[in-house]
Short mmCIF file of all heavy atoms in Angstrom, two decimals:
data_model
loop_
_atom_site.label_atom_id
_atom_site.label_comp_id
_atom_site.label_asym_id
_atom_site.label_seq_id
_atom_site.Cartn_x
_atom_site.Cartn_y
_atom_site.Cartn_z
N GLN W 221 19.37 -13.58 3.35
CA GLN W 221 19.98 -14.18 4.52
C GLN W 221 19.11 -13.99 5.77
O GLN W 221 18.27 -13.10 5.80
CB GLN W 221 21.35 -13.52 4.73
CG GLN W 221 22.34 -13.73 3.67
CD GLN W 221 23.70 -13.13 3.94
OE1 GLN W 221 24.13 -13.05 5.11
NE2 GLN W 221 24.37 -12.70 2.92
N GLU W 222 19.32 -14.87 6.74
CA GLU W 222 18.55 -14.81 8.01
C GLU W 222 19.52 -14.60 9.15
O GLU W 222 20.72 -14.83 9.02
CB GLU W 222 17.76 -16.06 8.20
CG GLU W 222 16.58 -16.23 7.24
CD GLU W 222 15.70 -17.41 7.56
OE1 GLU W 222 16.30 -18.45 8.04
OE2 GLU W 222 14.51 -17.33 7.35
N ILE W 223 18.97 -14.19 10.29
CA ILE W 223 19.76 -13.95 11.46
C ILE W 223 18.89 -14.20 12.71
O ILE W 223 17.68 -14.07 12.68
CB ILE W 223 20.33 -12.48 11.48
CG1 ILE W 223 21.42 -12.34 12.55
CG2 ILE W 223 19.21 -11.49 11.71
CD1 ILE W 223 22.11 -11.02 12.48
N SER W 224 19.56 -14.50 13.80
CA SER W 224 18.87 -14.69 15.09
C SER W 224 19.08 -13.44 15.91
O SER W 224 20.19 -12.95 16.04
CB SER W 224 19.43 -15.92 15.83
OG SER W 224 18.87 -16.00 17.11
N THR W 225 18.01 -12.91 16.46
CA THR W 225 18.10 -11.67 17.23
C THR W 225 17.14 -11.67 18.40
O THR W 225 16.07 -12.31 18.35
CB THR W 225 17.84 -10.45 16.35
OG1 THR W 225 17.95 -9.24 17.16
CG2 THR W 225 16.45 -10.49 15.77
N ASP W 226 17.45 -10.99 19.47
CA ASP W 226 16.61 -10.82 20.62
C ASP W 226 16.16 -9.39 20.76
O ASP W 226 15.65 -8.94 21.81
CB ASP W 226 17.23 -11.34 21.93
CG ASP W 226 18.56 -10.62 22.24
OD1 ASP W 226 18.93 -9.74 21.44
OD2 ASP W 226 19.21 -10.93 23.24
N LEU W 227 16.40 -8.59 19.71
CA LEU W 227 16.00 -7.18 19.75
C LEU W 227 14.62 -7.01 19.15
O LEU W 227 14.41 -6.76 17.94
CB LEU W 227 17.04 -6.38 18.90
CG LEU W 227 16.84 -4.83 18.93
CD1 LEU W 227 17.10 -4.28 20.32
CD2 LEU W 227 17.77 -4.17 17.95
N PHE W 228 13.64 -7.17 20.02
CA PHE W 228 12.21 -6.94 19.59
C PHE W 228 11.42 -6.47 20.80
O PHE W 228 11.86 -6.53 21.92
CB PHE W 228 11.63 -8.20 18.96
CG PHE W 228 11.65 -9.40 19.86
CD1 PHE W 228 10.60 -9.68 20.70
CD2 PHE W 228 12.74 -10.32 19.86
CE1 PHE W 228 10.59 -10.78 21.54
CE2 PHE W 228 12.75 -11.37 20.70
CZ PHE W 228 11.69 -11.65 21.53
N ASN W 229 10.20 -5.97 20.52
CA ASN W 229 9.37 -5.40 21.53
C ASN W 229 8.94 -6.43 22.64
O ASN W 229 8.36 -7.44 22.30
CB ASN W 229 8.11 -4.79 20.92
CG ASN W 229 7.26 -4.02 21.93
OD1 ASN W 229 7.79 -3.30 22.74
ND2 ASN W 229 5.97 -4.24 21.87
N ASP W 230 9.30 -6.11 23.81
CA ASP W 230 8.89 -6.97 24.96
C ASP W 230 8.28 -6.10 26.02
O ASP W 230 8.87 -5.79 27.03
CB ASP W 230 10.14 -7.70 25.49
CG ASP W 230 9.77 -8.73 26.57
OD1 ASP W 230 8.60 -9.07 26.68
OD2 ASP W 230 10.70 -9.11 27.31
N ASP W 231 7.05 -5.65 25.71
CA ASP W 231 6.25 -4.77 26.60
C ASP W 231 6.90 -3.39 26.79
O ASP W 231 6.51 -2.66 27.72
CB ASP W 231 6.06 -5.42 27.98
CG ASP W 231 5.22 -6.69 27.87
OD1 ASP W 231 4.33 -6.75 27.00
OD2 ASP W 231 5.45 -7.64 28.68
N LEU W 232 7.87 -3.03 25.93
CA LEU W 232 8.43 -1.70 26.00
C LEU W 232 7.52 -0.67 25.34
O LEU W 232 7.41 0.46 25.81
CB LEU W 232 9.81 -1.68 25.34
CG LEU W 232 10.62 -0.38 25.39
CD1 LEU W 232 10.88 -0.02 26.87
CD2 LEU W 232 11.91 -0.50 24.62
N TYR W 233 6.87 -1.04 24.26
CA TYR W 233 5.93 -0.17 23.53
C TYR W 233 4.58 -0.88 23.44
O TYR W 233 4.51 -2.11 23.53
CB TYR W 233 6.47 0.11 22.10
CG TYR W 233 7.68 0.98 22.06
CD1 TYR W 233 8.97 0.41 22.01
CD2 TYR W 233 7.55 2.37 22.02
CE1 TYR W 233 10.11 1.22 21.94
CE2 TYR W 233 8.71 3.19 21.95
CZ TYR W 233 9.96 2.58 21.93
OH TYR W 233 11.07 3.39 21.86
N PRO W 234 3.52 -0.12 23.23
CA PRO W 234 2.22 -0.74 22.96
C PRO W 234 2.30 -1.65 21.75
O PRO W 234 3.06 -1.37 20.79
CB PRO W 234 1.32 0.44 22.70
CG PRO W 234 1.97 1.59 23.37
CD PRO W 234 3.45 1.35 23.23
N THR W 235 1.54 -2.71 21.69
CA THR W 235 1.69 -3.70 20.60
C THR W 235 0.74 -3.42 19.44
O THR W 235 0.93 -4.01 18.38
CB THR W 235 1.34 -5.09 21.17
OG1 THR W 235 -0.04 -5.11 21.68
CG2 THR W 235 2.27 -5.49 22.30
N ARG W 236 -0.23 -2.55 19.57
CA ARG W 236 -1.20 -2.38 18.49
C ARG W 236 -0.59 -1.91 17.22
O ARG W 236 -0.95 -2.40 16.14
CB ARG W 236 -2.27 -1.37 18.95
CG ARG W 236 -3.40 -1.14 17.97
CD ARG W 236 -4.21 -2.39 17.71
NE ARG W 236 -4.85 -2.88 18.92
CZ ARG W 236 -5.46 -4.06 19.02
NH1 ARG W 236 -5.48 -4.87 17.99
NH2 ARG W 236 -6.00 -4.41 20.16
N TYR W 237 0.32 -0.98 17.29
CA TYR W 237 0.97 -0.47 16.07
C TYR W 237 1.65 -1.61 15.32
O TYR W 237 1.50 -1.77 14.07
CB TYR W 237 1.96 0.59 16.41
CG TYR W 237 2.79 1.08 15.20
CD1 TYR W 237 2.25 2.00 14.32
CD2 TYR W 237 4.07 0.63 15.00
CE1 TYR W 237 2.97 2.46 13.21
CE2 TYR W 237 4.82 1.10 13.92
CZ TYR W 237 4.26 2.01 13.04
OH TYR W 237 4.99 2.44 11.94
N PHE W 238 2.36 -2.46 16.06
CA PHE W 238 3.12 -3.58 15.41
C PHE W 238 2.12 -4.58 14.82
O PHE W 238 2.38 -5.17 13.74
CB PHE W 238 4.02 -4.26 16.42
CG PHE W 238 5.02 -3.33 17.06
CD1 PHE W 238 4.98 -3.11 18.43
CD2 PHE W 238 5.92 -2.63 16.30
CE1 PHE W 238 5.88 -2.27 19.06
CE2 PHE W 238 6.88 -1.77 16.90
CZ PHE W 238 6.83 -1.57 18.27
N GLU W 239 1.05 -4.79 15.54
CA GLU W 239 0.04 -5.79 15.03
C GLU W 239 -0.63 -5.33 13.75
O GLU W 239 -0.89 -6.16 12.85
CB GLU W 239 -1.03 -6.05 16.11
CG GLU W 239 -0.47 -6.77 17.34
CD GLU W 239 -1.44 -6.72 18.52
OE1 GLU W 239 -2.49 -6.06 18.41
OE2 GLU W 239 -1.13 -7.38 19.52
N VAL W 240 -0.94 -4.05 13.64
CA VAL W 240 -1.54 -3.53 12.41
C VAL W 240 -0.60 -3.65 11.22
O VAL W 240 -0.95 -4.14 10.15
CB VAL W 240 -1.97 -2.06 12.61
CG1 VAL W 240 -2.39 -1.44 11.25
CG2 VAL W 240 -3.11 -1.95 13.60
N GLN W 241 0.66 -3.27 11.43
CA GLN W 241 1.63 -3.32 10.36
C GLN W 241 2.02 -4.75 10.00
O GLN W 241 2.42 -5.02 8.83
CB GLN W 241 2.93 -2.55 10.76
CG GLN W 241 2.74 -1.10 11.06
CD GLN W 241 2.52 -0.27 9.78
OE1 GLN W 241 2.16 -0.82 8.73
NE2 GLN W 241 2.67 1.04 9.85
N ARG W 242 1.84 -5.69 10.92
CA ARG W 242 2.18 -7.10 10.64
C ARG W 242 1.33 -7.70 9.54
O ARG W 242 1.74 -8.65 8.85
CB ARG W 242 2.07 -7.92 11.91
CG ARG W 242 2.74 -9.31 11.83
CD ARG W 242 2.78 -9.98 13.21
NE ARG W 242 3.50 -9.16 14.11
CZ ARG W 242 3.11 -8.80 15.35
NH1 ARG W 242 1.92 -9.22 15.76
NH2 ARG W 242 3.82 -8.05 16.10
N ASN W 243 0.18 -7.13 9.28
CA ASN W 243 -0.71 -7.65 8.21
C ASN W 243 -0.08 -7.40 6.82
O ASN W 243 -0.54 -7.98 5.85
CB ASN W 243 -2.04 -6.93 8.29
CG ASN W 243 -2.83 -7.31 9.54
OD1 ASN W 243 -2.95 -8.49 9.88
ND2 ASN W 243 -3.33 -6.33 10.23
N LEU W 244 0.94 -6.51 6.74
CA LEU W 244 1.55 -6.23 5.46
C LEU W 244 2.86 -6.94 5.25
O LEU W 244 3.57 -6.72 4.27
CB LEU W 244 1.78 -4.70 5.36
CG LEU W 244 0.52 -3.82 5.43
CD1 LEU W 244 0.88 -2.34 5.43
CD2 LEU W 244 -0.41 -4.15 4.25
N VAL W 245 3.27 -7.78 6.17
CA VAL W 245 4.52 -8.52 6.08
C VAL W 245 4.43 -9.57 4.99
O VAL W 245 3.38 -10.28 4.84
CB VAL W 245 4.85 -9.19 7.43
CG1 VAL W 245 5.99 -10.18 7.28
CG2 VAL W 245 5.18 -8.19 8.46
N SER W 246 5.48 -9.67 4.20
CA SER W 246 5.55 -10.69 3.12
C SER W 246 6.98 -11.20 3.05
O SER W 246 7.86 -10.79 3.83
CB SER W 246 5.07 -10.11 1.77
OG SER W 246 6.01 -9.13 1.32
N ASN W 247 7.27 -12.04 2.05
CA ASN W 247 8.64 -12.57 1.86
C ASN W 247 9.57 -11.50 1.36
O ASN W 247 10.79 -11.61 1.55
CB ASN W 247 8.59 -13.75 0.86
CG ASN W 247 7.91 -14.97 1.44
OD1 ASN W 247 8.14 -15.28 2.60
ND2 ASN W 247 7.10 -15.63 0.65
N ASP W 248 9.06 -10.47 0.71
CA ASP W 248 9.88 -9.37 0.20
C ASP W 248 9.87 -8.25 1.21
O ASP W 248 8.89 -7.52 1.35
CB ASP W 248 9.36 -8.89 -1.15
CG ASP W 248 10.30 -7.97 -1.88
OD1 ASP W 248 10.93 -7.16 -1.20
OD2 ASP W 248 10.42 -8.07 -3.09
N VAL W 249 11.03 -8.10 1.89
CA VAL W 249 11.09 -7.11 2.99
C VAL W 249 10.94 -5.70 2.44
O VAL W 249 10.21 -4.87 3.02
CB VAL W 249 12.43 -7.25 3.75
CG1 VAL W 249 12.56 -6.15 4.80
CG2 VAL W 249 12.52 -8.59 4.44
N GLU W 250 11.57 -5.37 1.32
CA GLU W 250 11.50 -4.03 0.76
C GLU W 250 10.08 -3.65 0.39
O GLU W 250 9.64 -2.53 0.71
CB GLU W 250 12.41 -3.92 -0.47
CG GLU W 250 13.87 -3.68 -0.17
CD GLU W 250 14.64 -3.15 -1.33
OE1 GLU W 250 14.39 -3.65 -2.45
OE2 GLU W 250 15.51 -2.30 -1.13
N VAL W 251 9.36 -4.53 -0.32
CA VAL W 251 8.01 -4.24 -0.71
C VAL W 251 7.11 -4.07 0.53
O VAL W 251 6.25 -3.20 0.59
CB VAL W 251 7.45 -5.34 -1.62
CG1 VAL W 251 5.96 -5.19 -1.89
CG2 VAL W 251 8.20 -5.36 -2.94
N SER W 252 7.33 -4.90 1.52
CA SER W 252 6.52 -4.87 2.76
C SER W 252 6.71 -3.52 3.48
O SER W 252 5.77 -2.89 3.92
CB SER W 252 6.92 -6.03 3.69
OG SER W 252 6.67 -7.27 3.09
#
């Protein structure tokens, strides 16, 4: 299932950590 949300980083935290981990995102959330 999908959902719409506005709960995400908006200059609250540095972005580098999220950018590095984004390389491991896939269709399977658990495996990612």
